[in-house]
Amino acid sequence: MVAEKETLSLNKCPDKMPKRTKLLAPQPLPGHQPHSLVSEGFTVKAMMKNSVVRGPPAAGAFKERPTKPTAFRKFYERGDFPIALEHDSKGNKIAWKVEIEKLDYHHYLPLFFDGLCEMTFPYEFFARQGIHDMLEHGGNKILPVIPQLIIPIKNALNLRNRQVICVTLKVLQHLVVSAEMVGEALVPYYRQILPILNIFKNMNVL
């Protein structure tokens, strides 16, 4: 009788019945996930199963290089050049304060060639136009200065800048025809200049 009363009392009060806990199926423990191993190529690590080979860094052969302050700019800002900017109906030109033929070409022409690396006004204008003016009036003063011009030319080409390269090529064309024997004098230096030009020719830059 006692058991029956307990059963009846439980049926009348279902809320008081003990709740059953639902058991979840046991989950498998996560296995160890190996991390990818970044390694250099042609190494022992590169042969491992989880290895990811890092590619070679960009060589940067065709990347434009930043310019550095040139000697031309320093001389110009100090007022050491006998030049001034002159405007006329055709545009800007250089007003020379001395006769160009009387300039010391060993001193001034390499400095103006150094200015080929400049890309901002008025430096690039004075360097470019100054070179053309000096080549036009230099005559037999140009040939002895050729060895001093090679390094500035290479520096300008090594900037990897389209504008600078085009200006430098036009200067080279003018240089070759500026005086007798100049083209022949440049032949020993072509090996230093042509590889740089060929790089950009192959990249359709020129």
Side-chain angles (χ1 to χ4, degrees):
M1 294 294 293
V2 176
E4 291 179 0
K5 289 181 179 180
E6 290 180 354
T7 302
L8 291 174
S9 61
L10 289 174
N11 292 334
K12 292 179 180 179
C13 304
D15 294 339
K16 295 183 180 180
M17 293 181 65
K19 296 181 180 180
R20 295 181 180 180
T21 304
K22 185 178 181 181
L23 298 178
L24 299 176
Q27 300 293 327
L29 293 176
H32 176 67
Q33 299 295 331
H35 296 287
S36 298
L37 179 65
V38 180
S39 62
E40 303 291 340
F42 305 102
T43 62
V44 176
K45 291 182 179 180
M47 304 299 294
M48 298 177 65
K49 183 178 180 180
N50 298 313
S51 178
V52 177
V53 179
R54 182 187 295 113
F62 307 104
K63 184 179 180 181
E64 184 175 327
R65 300 179 181 180
T67 59
K68 298 179 181 179
T70 63
F72 175 85
R73 179 180 294 211
K74 295 177 183 177
F75 274 72
Y76 175 81
E77 291 178 345
R78 288 193 320 205
D80 291 343
F81 292 133
I83 56 177
L85 186 62
E86 182 177 328
H87 303 276
D88 61 12
S89 59
K90 297 181 180 179
N92 297 327
K93 68 177 184 179
I94 294 179
W96 290 90
K97 299 177 183 179
V98 298
E99 295 182 22
I100 301 176
E101 294 83 354
K102 295 181 179 180
L103 290 172
D104 181 356
Y105 270 59
H106 279 282
H107 175 70
Y108 285 109
L109 193 57
L111 285 173
F112 275 82
F113 267 79
D114 182 66
L116 288 172
C117 293
E118 295 288 349
M119 290 181 285
T120 56
F121 185 86
Y123 311 108
E124 55 84 19
F125 167 75
F126 277 121
R128 171 175 46 84
Q129 190 59 48
I131 289 173
H132 287 299
D133 288 352
M134 294 181 71
L135 293 180
E136 186 174 344
H137 296 85
N140 58 9
K141 288 187 174 184
I142 298 173
L143 184 60
V145 191
I146 294 299
Q148 296 175 254
L149 307 180
I150 302 306
I151 291 179
I153 291 172
K154 289 175 60 179
N155 290 341
L157 295 175
N158 279 324
L159 284 181
R160 312 298 199 248
N161 179 275
R162 183 188 294 269
Q163 173 188 340
V164 173
I165 292 173
C166 291
V167 170
T168 304
L169 289 179
K170 291 180 180 178
V171 166
L172 280 172
Q173 291 174 349
H174 194 173
L175 179 62
V176 170
V177 300
S178 61
E180 294 182 3
M181 303 299 294
V182 170
E184 290 82 349
L186 284 170
V187 171
Y189 303 104
Y190 282 153
R191 288 185 179 181
Q192 303 178 43
I193 299 173
L194 287 180
I196 303 174
L197 297 178
N198 287 333
I199 290 176
F200 295 101
K201 185 177 180 181
N202 294 334
M203 292 292 294
N204 294 322
V205 174
L206 301 179

